[in-house]
């Protein structure tokens, strides 16, 4: 009989950051752009947004992807979200300096991620839609079977299935270890990072690659977001959340192991706080309690207090007010706050990893140190409070 | 280390709704594959599937307020199964220190609504905001809909996980929930899977990949795992949920446990999004990890509930993987393929097969693999083709291997007090 492994608590470190966002692919440059007040808002390139409440989106420059995903044959099988994910994972692993085979076996690498809903741009199914409509413009099942399927490429399934981005990352990087994939909102992206931490803590993996990807800058996504009321702030106030596309992955490992291999440690995870708000299934939370609970859980018993907040606000007037109220309630309202989504746009399933990745980089590089001056501890609280039920706060400490 | 047991099971499948009907059909070798009636599939290359016919979905909508307005079939099937599991475990709704973990395939894109929206019913041929505001129905429902509604109805305090690892989703959901209870993150979990790909885009999309059997004239024998003449799998729909609890909590509540979960392992093929590696290396790794996690050796496994899809490459890869892990003993282990009767329920299949494994431990019966009349020389293990068989062992391995290369394996054991 083999002995069961006991779970041991440990400090989990971030040793690699890979972000592919509408504001760039280099964490330092993204933070610099944020500090200068730049945003990635632009008119969508793939469709006319004039009929939608939200007129702008955040798009990733193709050159960011082309440089990282060189296998064009394989790329043709991938949806946009998968392309972004593969690029981000490559950046994260490059950044970590990890070499599979030398530093660890690919079987000892966990892959945990989140994907979003509505990841398929309308253009991918446009031919199918055209061929499946009758003379009056209504859907016809017979036409769908006789004509629609014939004009549809078989690879459509690889672009629709929500687990494909993670599978492509595993194929491109050779990752073979334990894995999980969640869907569809920012909270699930945060849970993915948390599960990456757990994989290390329980000794299930030597290394975890954790993050998420999403693509909400196309018209089918705009339809869904508008239907769910996520653009209502634009109607009421002329401003609101801006959806975008992007991906991010973090390389996580035990701090002691990272130090041994002289890796760059961006930060350590000190605690994770969580709360569910079941009334926010497809929208913003309307009560401050769940957000405050997540933050309090994130700071409970922690030896350090945060000196800076990486907030979850995204421009939705009502949603942002709730988070501000929650910050007030837990005594963090006076801390300097960085609102990543206001600049990068809301990357949904990739929003949590983007926020955590930038906070980790900021802690390591001293970016925003001036803003946090006077605080006794180099720690940050990162709120992953986007639309959806799951609310997660990470307390990060400098290495 | 906490011990985790199964105290409740619920199921809704093409061969029966409810545990008794499902088990009776499964052990008598009844096929649930029929000509599709859920939509007019007459113009599609594939016109058969495993439909859940024994569930009155309108009644579910009437009885469960949370789903009164829900159209997404997998949510309705999921609720029927979850309700049975909760009742079976004798769990009362309330503030439960537990998690919800649901495995699902992919969100339903209501193609009819997309087409109608794009054409605007002939008014304006583009997908624009003005048309959107006129739409009465959503284009798609979020994948976490079922999980959130279940949490609301039964009072699980969370977190709420929605796992979308395709065909391995149901098994991964149960495996992950098992890990969290064992580690003390929570004391109870409602975990399982629900799926229905029996819609135009689901059936059409998979038929384009060539993964489905096109034997429309003989639905009952269309899914033939491990048979030399197998053509492909058949899509099915269904749901299965289990209540997992820490053993001491279950004993304190005075409920009997059906089985103990001993170990879980997952892996990635890192090979191809469409085909498994011929040496089954990803499956081997998942099985080895599950055995290691369970603290048992290969010779301790008495029965395997296989992934067994009926696709040419998958069945060979799984057979090779079993031989790699179990060596010569693999010829002595009875292996069954539930999908031969239910079809492939994608996100639900791992959970359905987990429930079948629990029932094997509970009743001492191994269900057969039906339609296996001409064994593939490359699939030469004991797949129980002749009919149900008595089971005297104590340990079962349940395999699930997802499209894209995500694999999961779970080890269960008869519970000895």
């Amino acid at each position: 009989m083999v002995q069961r492994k006991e779970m041991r608590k440990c400090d989990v470190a971030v040793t690699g950051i890979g972000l592919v966002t509408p504001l760039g692919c280099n964490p330092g440059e993204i933070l610099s752009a944020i500090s200068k007040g730049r945003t990635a808002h632009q008119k969508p390139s793939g469709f006319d947004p004039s009929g939608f409440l939200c007129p702008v989106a955040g798009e990733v420059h193709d050159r960011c992807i082309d440089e990282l995903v060189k296998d064009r044959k394989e790329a043709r099988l991938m949806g946009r979200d998968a392309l972004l994910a593969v690029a981000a994972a490559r950046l994260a692993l490059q950044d970590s300096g990890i070499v599979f085979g030398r530093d660890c076996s690919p079987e000892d690498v966990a892959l945990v991620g989140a994907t979003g809903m509505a990841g398929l741009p309308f253009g991918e199914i446009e031919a199918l839609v055209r061929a499946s409509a009758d003379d009056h413009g209504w859907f016809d099942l017979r036409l769908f079977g006789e004509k629609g399927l014939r004009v549809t490429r078989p690879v459509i399934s690889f672009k629709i299935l929500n687990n494909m981005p993670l599978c492509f990352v595993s194929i491109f990087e050779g990752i073979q270890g334990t894995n999980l994939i969640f869907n569809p909102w920012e909270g699930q992206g945060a849970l993915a990072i948390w599960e990456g931490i757990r994989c290390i803590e329980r000794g299930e993996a030597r290394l975890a690659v954790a993050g998420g990807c999403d693509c909400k800058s196309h018209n089918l996504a705009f339809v869904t977001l508008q239907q769910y009321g996520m653009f209502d702030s634009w109607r009421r106030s002329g401003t609101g959340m801006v959806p975008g596309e992007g991906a991010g992955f973090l390389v996580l490992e035990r701090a002691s192991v990272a130090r041994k291999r002289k890796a760059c440690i961006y930060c350590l995870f000190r605690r994770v706080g969580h709360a569910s708000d079941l009334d926010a299934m497809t929208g913003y939370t309307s009560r401050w309690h769940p957000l405050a609970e997540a933050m309090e859980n994130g700071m409970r018993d922690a030896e350090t207090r945060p000196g800076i907040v990486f907030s979850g606000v995204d421009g939705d007037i009502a949603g942002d007010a709730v988070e501000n109220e929650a910050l007030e309630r837990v005594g963090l309202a006076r801390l300097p706050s960085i609102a990543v989504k206001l600049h990068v746009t809301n990357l949904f399933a990739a929003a949590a990893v983007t926020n955590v990745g930038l906070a980790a980089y900021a802690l390591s590089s001293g970016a925003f140190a001036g803003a946090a001056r006077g605080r006794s501890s180099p720690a940050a609280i990162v709120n992953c409070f986007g639309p959806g039920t799951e609310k997660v706060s990470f307390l990060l400490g400098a290495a | 280390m906490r011990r985790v047991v199964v105290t409740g099971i619920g199921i809704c499948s093409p061969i029966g709704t409810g545990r008794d009907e499902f088990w009776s059909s499964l052990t008598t070798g009844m096929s649930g594959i029929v000509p599709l009636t859920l939509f007019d599939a007459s113009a599609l290359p594939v016109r058969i599937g495993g439909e859940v016919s024994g569930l009155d979905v309108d009644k579910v909508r009437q009885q469960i307020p949370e789903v009164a307005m829900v159209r997404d079939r997998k949510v309705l099937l999921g609720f029927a199964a979850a309700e049975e599991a909760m009742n079976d475990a004798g769990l009362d709704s309330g503030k439960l220190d537990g998690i919800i973990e649901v495995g699902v395939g992919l969100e339903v894109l209501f193609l009819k609504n997309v087409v109608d929206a794009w054409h605007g019913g002939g008014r304006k041929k583009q997908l624009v905001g003005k048309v959107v505001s006129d739409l009465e129905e959503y284009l798609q429902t979020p994948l976490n809909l079922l999980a959130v509604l279940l949490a609301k109805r039964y009072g699980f305090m969370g977190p709420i996980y929605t796992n979308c690892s395709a065909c391995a989703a149901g098994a991964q959901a149960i495996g992950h929930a098992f890990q969290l209870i064992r580690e003390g993150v929570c004391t109870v979990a409602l975990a399982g899977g629900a799926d229905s790909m029996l819609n135009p885009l689901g059936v059409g999309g998979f038929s384009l990949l060539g993964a489905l059997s096109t034997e429309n004239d003989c639905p009952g024998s269309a899914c033939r795992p491990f048979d030399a003449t197998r053509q492909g799998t058949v899509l099915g729909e269904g749901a299965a949920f289990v209540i997992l609890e820490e053993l001491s909590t279950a004993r304190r509540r005075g409920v009997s446990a059906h089985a103990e979960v001993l170990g879980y392992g997952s892996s990635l093929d890192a090979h191809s999004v469409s085909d498994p590696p011929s040496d089954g290396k990803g499956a081997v790794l998942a099985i080895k990890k599950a055995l290691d996690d369970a603290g048992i050796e290969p010779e301790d496994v008495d029965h395997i509930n296989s992934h067994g899809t009926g696709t040419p490459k998958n069945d060979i890869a799984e057979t090779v993987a079993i031989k790699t892990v179990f060596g010569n003993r693999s010829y002595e282990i009875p292996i069954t393929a539930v999908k031969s009767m239910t079809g492939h329920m994608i996100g639900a299949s791992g959970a359905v097969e987990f429930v079948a494994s629990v029932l094997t431990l509970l009743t001492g019966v191994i269900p057969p693999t039906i339609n296996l009349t001409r064994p593939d020389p490359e699939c030469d293990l004991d797949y129980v083709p002749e009919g149900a068989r008595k089971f005297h062992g104590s340990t079962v391995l349940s395999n699930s291997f997802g499209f894209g290369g995500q694999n999961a394996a779970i080890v269960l054991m008869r519970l000895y007090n």
Side-chain angles (χ1 to χ4, degrees), chain A residues 48-384:
Chain A
D48 175 7
S50 58
F52 291 99
L53 294 168
C54 172
V56 286
E59 295 182 357
V60 173
H61 292 296
D62 282 342
R63 69 169 189 280
C64 291
I65 304 167
D66 294 343
E67 287 169 9
L68 293 158
V69 189
K70 297 199 189 302
D71 185 342
R72 303 318 298 167
K73 190 180 165 197
E74 197 78 9
R76 278 196 291 274
L77 299 175
M78 292 190 242
R80 180 80 176 164
D81 51 356
L83 271 172
L84 298 166
V86 167
R90 174 66 45 98
L91 282 173
L93 283 163
Q94 282 176 353
D95 187 44
S96 74
I98 282 281
V99 177
F100 293 168
R102 183 195 69 190
D103 298 311
C104 64
S105 157
E107 296 180 1
D108 286 332
V109 180
L111 183 57
V112 194
T115 53
M117 73 176 295
L120 188 75
F122 182 68
E124 298 280 0
I125 54 170
E126 187 166 352
L128 173 73
V129 167
R130 282 178 186 277
S132 304
D134 65 17
D135 292 340
H136 304 289
W138 299 114
F139 180 64
D140 185 310
L141 259 173
R142 181 156 293 279
L143 289 172
F144 166 75
E146 291 175 354
K147 292 184 178 175
L149 286 180
R150 284 194 190 152
V151 298
T152 306
R153 295 170 63 213
V155 297
I156 190 79
S157 293
F158 301 132
K159 300 186 179 189
I160 292 176
L161 282 166
N162 300 97
N163 69 325
M164 283 298 148
L166 210 67
C167 296
F168 279 112
V169 169
S170 80
I171 291 165
F172 270 75
E173 300 301 338
I175 298 171
Q176 296 168 28
T178 195
N179 60 93
L180 282 166
I181 182 159
F182 302 133
N183 191 275
W185 306 115
E186 177 177 352
Q188 279 74 23
L191 293 179
I193 297 171
W194 197 2
E195 290 311 311
I197 296 169
R198 283 201 175 109
C199 284
I200 304 292
E201 285 178 339
R202 71 169 71 102
E204 197 177 5
R206 150 81 177 77
L207 197 85
V209 179
C213 63
D214 212 333
C215 180
K216 292 276 193 292
S217 53
H218 57 87
N219 50 0
L220 212 50
F222 266 55
V223 171
T224 299
L225 295 174
Q226 184 152 317
Q227 283 193 312
Y228 287 159
M230 290 189 204
F231 291 155
D232 285 357
S233 181
W234 285 94
R235 180 184 298 150
R236 289 193 300 265
S237 318
T239 184
M241 179 271 289
V242 176
E245 61 174 3
F249 279 95
L250 306 174
V251 174
L252 311 178
E253 55 189 314
R254 203 177 283 264
S256 57
V257 175
R259 287 192 188 103
K260 206 168 170 183
R261 72 172 184 93
K262 296 185 171 56
C264 162
I265 295 180
Y266 287 103
C267 72
L268 301 171
F269 284 99
R270 294 301 187 193
R271 278 197 71 87
V272 187
H274 166 269
S276 296
D277 180 8
L278 299 182
D279 294 327
M281 185 163 60
T282 56
Y284 294 89
T285 194
S286 58
R287 302 173 298 143
W288 59 266
H289 307 84
L291 309 186
E293 191 183 333
M295 284 188 276
E296 279 172 347
N297 288 339
M299 294 185 291
R300 185 168 298 145
D301 303 329
E303 292 166 3
T304 52
R305 289 282 293 178
I308 191 165
V309 178
F310 277 70
S311 81
V313 299
D314 67 0
D316 182 273
I317 300 292
D320 294 357
V322 174
E323 180 166 350
N324 291 334
E325 173 74 14
L327 285 164
E328 188 77 48
R329 299 282 179 162
V330 297
L332 299 180
R334 291 173 194 279
L335 289 184
S337 177
I338 312 298
V340 168
K341 280 184 255 179
L342 293 183
H343 303 268
V344 172
T345 70
N346 191 336
L347 307 183
F348 288 88
V353 66
T354 303
N355 218 6
V356 173
L358 290 175
Y361 189 89
L363 281 173
S364 155
S365 67
F368 303 110
R373 190 174 297 143
R375 304 288 158 189
S376 58
S377 57
I381 191 161
V382 185
N383 291 338
C384 305

Side-chain angles (χ1 to χ4, degrees), chain A residues 1-7 47-53 74 77 107 109-111 115-120 122 125-126 128-146 149-150 152-158 160-164 166-168 170-171 173-185 188 191 194-195 198 202 204 219-224 226-228 235 274-279 281-282 293 388-390, chain B residues 1-3 39-45 101 105-107 109 111-112 114-116 118-123 125-130 132-133 135-145 148-149 151-152 156-166 172 176 179-180 182-183 185 197 200-201 204-209 260-262 264-274 281 285 289 291-297 300 346 402-407:
Chain A
M1 296 282 276
V2 182
Q3 278 290 317
R4 284 180 181 172
K5 279 177 280 199
E6 292 291 333
M7 182 180 145
F47 68 102
D48 175 7
S50 58
F52 291 99
L53 294 168
E74 197 78 9
L77 299 175
E107 296 180 1
V109 180
L111 183 57
T115 53
M117 73 176 295
L120 188 75
F122 182 68
I125 54 170
E126 187 166 352
L128 173 73
V129 167
R130 282 178 186 277
S132 304
D134 65 17
D135 292 340
H136 304 289
W138 299 114
F139 180 64
D140 185 310
L141 259 173
R142 181 156 293 279
L143 289 172
F144 166 75
E146 291 175 354
L149 286 180
R150 284 194 190 152
T152 306
R153 295 170 63 213
V155 297
I156 190 79
S157 293
F158 301 132
I160 292 176
L161 282 166
N162 300 97
N163 69 325
M164 283 298 148
L166 210 67
C167 296
F168 279 112
S170 80
I171 291 165
E173 300 301 338
I175 298 171
Q176 296 168 28
T178 195
N179 60 93
L180 282 166
I181 182 159
F182 302 133
N183 191 275
W185 306 115
Q188 279 74 23
L191 293 179
W194 197 2
E195 290 311 311
R198 283 201 175 109
R202 71 169 71 102
E204 197 177 5
N219 50 0
L220 212 50
F222 266 55
V223 171
T224 299
Q226 184 152 317
Q227 283 193 312
Y228 287 159
R235 180 184 298 150
H274 166 269
S276 296
D277 180 8
L278 299 182
D279 294 327
M281 185 163 60
T282 56
E293 191 183 333
T389 56
E390 304 309 290
Chain B
M1 188 78 81
R2 294 166 185 82
R3 292 172 69 186
F39 66 96
D40 177 9
S42 58
L44 268 59
E101 178 114 15
L106 76 163
E107 70 246 12
L109 180 64
L111 194 59
K112 177 184 180 304
V114 175
V115 174
D116 293 348
W118 184 80
H119 290 281
R123 284 170 293 162
K125 292 193 174 183
Q126 54 181 321
L127 198 64
V128 296
K130 288 188 178 67
V132 172
S133 56
L135 288 177
E136 290 176 359
E137 294 177 297
Y138 291 132
L139 297 192
Q140 48 196 329
T141 52
L143 215 49
N144 65 337
L145 180 64
V148 175
L149 292 179
K152 268 189 169 183
F156 283 83
M157 302 295 283
I160 304 164
Y161 298 96
T162 297
N163 186 310
C164 61
S165 57
Q172 281 207 345
H176 181 230
Q179 287 180 318
L180 294 182
R182 190 171 61 176
E183 289 161 7
V185 174
M197 300 274 286
L201 198 54
F206 267 88
S207 68
L208 284 174
L209 284 176
E260 180 172 5
V261 186
L262 278 192
Y264 165 66
S266 73
S267 70
L268 291 152
D269 285 343
H271 174 70
S272 155
V273 283
S274 56
K281 66 171 182 177
L285 182 58
K289 286 170 82 172
L291 298 181
D292 185 36
D293 192 45
I296 65 170
E297 300 291 346
D300 296 323
I346 310 293
F403 193 64
Q406 290 181 271
N407 310 299

